[in-house]
Amino acid sequence: MIKALQLRINLHQEGKPNGLLLKAAYDLGIEPSEISGIKILRKSIDARKRNIMFNYKVEVYINEPVPENSDYQFDYKDVSKAKPIHIIGFGPAGMYAALRCIELGFKPIVLERGKNVQDRRRDLKAINQDHFVNEDSNYCFGEGGAGTYSDGKLYTRSLKRGDVRRIFENLVFHGATDQILVDAHPHIGTNKLPKVVQNIRETILKFGGEVHFESRVSDFTLKDHKIVAIQLQNGNELDVEKVILATGHSARDIFYLLNDKHIQLKAKSFAMGVRVEHPQDIIDGIQYHCKGEKRDELLPAAAYSLVQQVNNRGVYSFCMCPGGFIVPAATANGEVVVNGMSPSRRNNTFANSGIVVEINADNDLYKYEPFGELKGLEYQKDLERLAFTSGGRRQSAPGQRLTDFVEGKLSPNLNETSYQPGLKSAPMHSLLPKLIGSSLRKGFKAFGEKMHGYYTEEANVIGVESRTSSPVNIPRTETLAHPEISNLYPCGEGGGYAGGIISAAMDGERCAEAATSNL
Ligand code: FAD
């Protein structure tokens, strides 16, 4: 017999090897020996009260064997001689578009400007240590896209749970832990992601697809409202029939290229701000009600999610990384951009999060109107240049103690940081545009009231968090093709159709289905 059950156990029971089983037996009124096994379907932590509880949704197998975790199978076909689909960009959107093409019997030919995951590491080291940004290989560009050296948080607000499950199963199929199928807040971690990404590439190659690194698309030829050929920076030219454009929100050269060719684009609202970094112990103390003590070893590094309306404008936490690192995510020299990542065990001593302010493309960017639909992009660029100059004209970033930022004082010194290129004390309260700076200052005060201990001089604010989402939308019709170019499928975060790894992957699948539907 199989019984579905919701179980709630405390820290003490969680710590016992058979705590869950004993609780299931007790709730079902049976002997523990009658239970042959328990399959966990969902796990979450409820830390709202001092008595922290673990919530489980399980299937209890009574006097019958527990089935193996299903061995996920995807129907990949040999596509070596099939019709090609060209995919530009090998981030989550491009990778999942390629996998879906193979399932549908088409040959993906992927063109990626960056390097494979191993070679990419050297370029990340150069940013951190030598302050040199390779403009084709960095934290945003290269195999796996911006998702590879990230936190690998797999949350999405998408309501299409079936599709989400498929994406997760495919990650497990390619080597991610099956814990992601169970956790309420799943994440993979930057140390595990490269292997998953590499396995995805190997599947694509094994079934006859192609993946070309160091192949930046620099131009294309249009004829009769179609792209007929694409040119690469290495001089190669490829004839194409269908093109999925999955170049992400940092591929500014692609936005300029489309704009120069008078291909319709649309300015999009987005968000920008700073990253705030606290000692993880402070966040644990607040969230787990254990101020001044270490969190229980059964508990993961605590996360938080904050939002506040300031003068009808949203100020909110974004991409919070417990036990993580702040990383330099610029894609060009002369700019400083910060973002966050964490390893699978989230065992670093810092907690960081983007704290960003909504920027409305229609109302907030009037000074940038001359840039037309690229006004948000230019605003973003200006802020990143400002961070570069105020951070010391290197990849070191401008920083300020949180309390000094809010009170409008330069910090004489800064707290320790996980940001490897280092920090330079800067008056960010006066440097940031008022729209962002004053909203953030009010937002931080309000956050301090929601989470007592959050507003502290032991935290740094670090600038700038500018690449939260695309400032440009590449329009598409209900067929998912661009309204003016019938064989171009804008895809993923760059087009404005995704906001994270999972939604980008889902959009990649959708675009592959659309691009292959009439071939
Ligand atoms: P991208 O991942 O940006 O991929 C685009 C690809 O296109 C890149 O590989 C790029 O090199 C390539 N490309 C660009 N231009 C060209 C060209 N001209 N020719 C050929 N190739 C080109 N999201 C989450 O959901 N969870 C997280 O924990 C998380 N953490 C993050 C941490 C960091 C440090 C960063 C930078 C991002 C993080 N994100 C996270 C965001 C997430 O990575 C993106 O939402 C996601 O990767 C978008 O996928 P994409 O495929 O649309 O674009």
Side-chain angles (χ1 to χ4, degrees):
M1 198 189 345
I2 306 166
K3 286 266 187 195
L5 217 58
Q6 307 268 4
L7 297 172
R8 215 168 136 74
I9 60 174
N10 60 25
L11 261 175
H12 174 69
Q13 290 166 310
E14 173 75 9
K16 282 184 165 176
N18 57 354
L20 197 60
L21 186 139
L22 291 176
K23 173 72 171 144
Y26 178 82
D27 282 13
L28 290 169
I30 59 175
E31 288 301 318
S33 57
E34 290 178 66
I35 298 180
S36 15
I38 293 185
K39 187 171 171 191
I40 300 170
L41 304 178
R42 198 106 186 122
K43 178 181 179 186
S44 62
I45 298 174
D46 181 355
R48 283 173 298 176
K49 302 222 172 87
R50 194 166 285 274
N51 185 17
I52 294 170
M53 302 298 285
F54 290 74
N55 291 331
Y56 283 94
K57 188 173 167 196
V58 299
E59 280 174 356
V60 184
Y61 288 77
I62 304 165
N63 295 323
E64 78 171 86
V66 191
E68 290 284 306
N69 247 347
S70 57
D71 195 2
Y72 306 108
Q73 288 304 328
F74 292 84
D75 186 17
Y76 296 129
K77 305 178 171 69
D78 177 2
V79 293
S80 50
K81 299 201 170 55
K83 279 193 175 170
I85 304 283
H86 287 82
I87 299 171
I88 311 176
F90 200 48
M95 289 191 293
Y96 270 76
L99 290 173
R100 189 74 186 122
C101 282
I102 296 175
E103 278 185 296
L104 296 167
F106 293 86
K107 174 176 178 158
I109 300 180
V110 180
L111 305 162
E112 165 57 52
R113 73 193 296 161
K115 300 180 185 171
N116 67 50
V117 279
Q118 273 81 23
D119 295 343
R120 198 176 161 187
R121 268 184 219 280
R122 273 193 283 276
D123 296 315
L124 303 187
K125 198 168 161 204
I127 304 175
N128 281 299
Q129 294 184 357
D130 311 328
H131 299 250
F132 174 76
V133 181
N134 177 330
E135 300 192 357
D136 286 314
S137 175
N138 45 58
Y139 277 93
C140 292
F141 295 160
E143 185 172 20
T148 308
Y149 295 100
S150 79
D151 194 32
K153 274 183 292 295
L154 304 177
Y155 326 150
T156 173
R157 283 187 225 113
S158 171
L159 298 175
K160 296 190 181 162
R161 300 305 305 179
D163 297 350
V164 175
R165 174 84 190 184
R166 210 183 112 78
I167 303 293
F168 277 39
E169 286 179 2
N170 209 327
L171 286 170
V172 175
F173 179 76
H174 285 103
T177 164
D178 59 7
Q179 192 65 32
I180 64 171
L181 301 170
V182 167
D183 282 343
H185 295 289
H187 98 121
I188 298 184
T190 188
N191 50 327
K192 308 271 177 177
L193 281 157
K195 186 67 193 152
V196 175
V197 165
Q198 189 182 323
N199 289 343
I200 290 177
R201 183 221 312 162
E202 278 162 15
T203 295
I204 294 168
L205 299 181
K206 179 172 157 200
F207 288 93
E210 294 177 17
V211 181
H212 301 274
F213 294 112
E214 299 182 65
S215 299
R216 175 173 14 103
V217 171
S218 53
D219 204 353
F220 49 83
T221 311
L222 287 167
K223 195 175 167 201
D224 299 333
H225 301 285
K226 280 189 165 186
I227 297 183
V228 289
I230 47 187
Q231 287 88 38
L232 306 182
Q233 100 285 0
N234 57 21
N236 288 348
E237 179 170 86
L238 305 168
D239 292 339
V240 296
E241 201 160 329
K242 298 275 185 157
V243 180
I244 296 177
L245 184 68
T247 42
H249 62 26
S250 291
R252 291 179 173 157
D253 42 4
I254 288 290
F255 293 131
Y256 287 127
L257 179 65
L258 295 171
N259 199 48
D260 289 348
K261 288 185 180 290
H262 306 288
I263 292 169
Q264 196 186 331
L265 298 173
K266 181 111 193 57
K268 183 179 144 295
S269 296
F270 57 106
M272 292 213 296
V274 293
R275 202 152 263 266
V276 62
E277 184 168 64
H278 289 80
Q280 181 65 47
D281 285 348
I282 291 188
I283 302 301
D284 290 343
I286 303 170
Q287 301 296 69
Y288 294 141
H289 323 281
C290 62
K291 282 185 189 159
E293 292 165 32
K294 287 270 168 219
R295 69 173 187 268
D296 191 287
E297 59 185 23
L298 293 174
L299 294 170
Y304 62 84
S305 168
L306 289 164
V307 59
Q308 178 70 28
Q309 286 294 315
V310 176
N311 303 334
N312 291 325
R313 191 183 292 284
V315 178
Y316 57 92
S317 57
F318 174 83
C319 185
M320 197 266 146
C321 298
F325 300 84
I326 298 184
V327 295
T331 46
N333 290 293
E335 63 188 32
V336 162
V337 178
V338 290
N339 210 311
M341 69 176 194
S342 60
S344 56
R345 290 176 59 216
R346 287 186 162 161
N347 54 355
N348 194 24
T349 53
F350 294 100
N352 71 69
S353 177
I355 303 291
V356 294
V357 178
E358 283 173 345
I359 313 283
N360 184 303
D362 294 329
N363 305 332
D364 295 331
L365 302 172
Y366 51 92
K367 279 195 201 147
Y368 289 78
E369 287 302 338
F371 295 105
E373 304 304 336
L374 299 188
K375 58 187 171 184
L377 190 155
E378 296 300 332
Y379 183 77
Q380 209 183 33
K381 262 172 78 174
D382 275 357
L383 212 64
E384 294 169 0
R385 285 199 204 106
L386 181 79
F388 178 75
T389 43
S390 56
R393 308 190 74 80
R394 321 173 76 211
Q395 281 305 305
S396 42
Q400 195 167 10
R401 286 184 189 248
L402 172 58
T403 41
D404 291 339
F405 175 67
V406 172
E407 288 164 25
K409 294 190 296 205
L410 184 68
S411 300
N413 51 40
L414 296 170
N415 297 297
E416 265 188 61
T417 179
S418 66
Y419 183 72
Q420 264 197 55
L423 301 181
K424 181 171 184 290
S425 175
M428 289 174 52
H429 60 277
S430 64
L431 288 172
L432 288 172
K434 191 160 173 280
L435 158 71
I436 297 181
S438 80
S439 306
L440 282 176
R441 290 160 79 184
K442 289 185 183 138
F444 276 125
K445 274 237 148 147
F447 294 162
E449 282 157 25
K450 292 177 196 215
M451 277 176 70
H452 294 289
Y454 184 89
Y455 180 64
T456 166
E457 61 172 14
E458 288 183 65
N460 288 330
V461 293
I462 298 168
V464 286
E465 175 89 19
S466 50
R467 308 274 179 97
T468 54
S469 67
S470 183
V472 182
N473 165 248
I474 310 176
R476 64 190 192 192
T477 66
E478 66 282 2
T479 66
L480 306 195
H482 189 278
E484 298 166 342
I485 304 172
S486 61
N487 65 343
L488 176 69
Y489 294 82
C491 178
E493 195 160 36
Y497 301 103
I501 295 170
I502 296 298
S503 55
M506 288 199 296
D507 199 54
E509 289 207 328
R510 269 197 297 271
C511 287
E513 286 158 18
T516 55
S517 66
N518 52 0
L519 271 182

